[in-house]
């Protein structure tokens, strides 16, 4: 196994800086667009409602983009991506990859497929993503079917 120590379980990995930026921008946009809708005197009730609906739609998209996370516990890993959540047992994860230029971690799975795990992404928190990917790799190797398992 790697010289890194496995984190204590359960542990949640998520791009906290990216999440904070997305939710802050979404909130500011919602408040600003809603305030403009309420301040414009020439708008009718339907037009005001469409402004607020549009603001809520923008906020919803940014909230959806802030959703990804990876939760590891004793039994396995739950990968929460934008619209899909998948539960994996430790033995299903063969390898955890975050290569230079990758937008997020990829999990090589025992069924021969590779799955993106958007909860660990270098974006604006590159060093944190590298630490998180290494920690998840150590966990997968210790608990799964990785090269040092068993």
């Amino acid at each position: 196994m790697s010289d890194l120590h496995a984190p204590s379980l359960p542990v949640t990995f998520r791009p906290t800086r990216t999440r904070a930026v997305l939710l802050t921008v979404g909130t500011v946009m919602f408040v600003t667009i809603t305030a403009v809708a309420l301040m414009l005197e020439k708008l009718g009730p339907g037009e005001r409602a469409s402004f607020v609906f549009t603001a809520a739609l923008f906020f919803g998209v940014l909230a959806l983009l802030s959703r990804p996370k990876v939760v590891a516990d004793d039994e396995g890993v739950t990968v929460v991506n934008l619209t899909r959540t998948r539960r994996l047992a430790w033995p299903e994860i063969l390898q955890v990859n975050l290569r230079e230029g990758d937008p997020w971690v990829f999990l090589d799975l025992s069924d021969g497929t590779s799955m993106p795990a958007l909860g660990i992404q270098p974006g604006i928190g590159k060093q944190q993503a590298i630490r998180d990917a290494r920690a998840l790799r150590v966990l997968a190797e210790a608990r799964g079917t990785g090269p040092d398992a068993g």
Side-chain angles (χ1 to χ4, degrees):
M1 183 162 60
S2 170
D3 58 341
L4 294 174
H5 295 290
S8 57
L9 297 176
V11 62
T12 300
F13 304 106
R14 71 176 353 138
T16 53
R17 287 183 190 167
T18 302
R19 181 177 167 82
V21 168
L22 289 169
L23 293 176
T24 300
V25 168
T27 301
V28 169
M29 283 178 51
F30 179 81
V31 169
T32 302
I33 293 171
T34 301
V36 167
L38 297 176
M39 290 172 30
L40 292 175
E41 296 174 7
K42 294 184 179 185
L43 294 182
E47 293 167 317
R48 287 182 204 273
S50 70
F51 267 74
V52 174
F53 175 77
T54 301
L57 189 63
F58 281 139
F59 181 81
V61 168
L62 293 178
L64 184 67
L65 291 173
S66 72
R67 183 175 182 255
K69 65 182 174 180
V70 177
V71 181
D73 59 33
D74 288 325
E75 287 77 42
V77 175
T78 302
V79 178
V80 179
N81 287 332
L82 295 179
T83 59
R84 217 170 157 223
T85 299
R86 183 165 174 197
R87 179 74 180 160
L88 301 165
W90 285 113
E92 291 180 82
I93 303 171
L94 301 179
Q95 191 168 3
V96 177
N97 297 305
L98 180 60
R99 294 179 277 273
E100 186 71 32
D102 280 351
W104 39 71
V105 161
F106 288 92
L107 305 176
D108 290 340
L109 304 179
S110 60
D111 66 1
T113 63
S114 182
M115 176 183 181
L118 280 63
I120 303 175
Q121 51 182 268
I124 58 177
K126 184 176 182 177
Q127 294 308 313
Q128 183 63 46
I130 291 169
R131 284 190 299 272
D132 291 350
R134 285 180 180 154
L136 185 58
R137 183 177 299 129
V138 167
L139 286 167
E141 288 173 355
R143 296 174 170 272
T145 58
D148 297 328

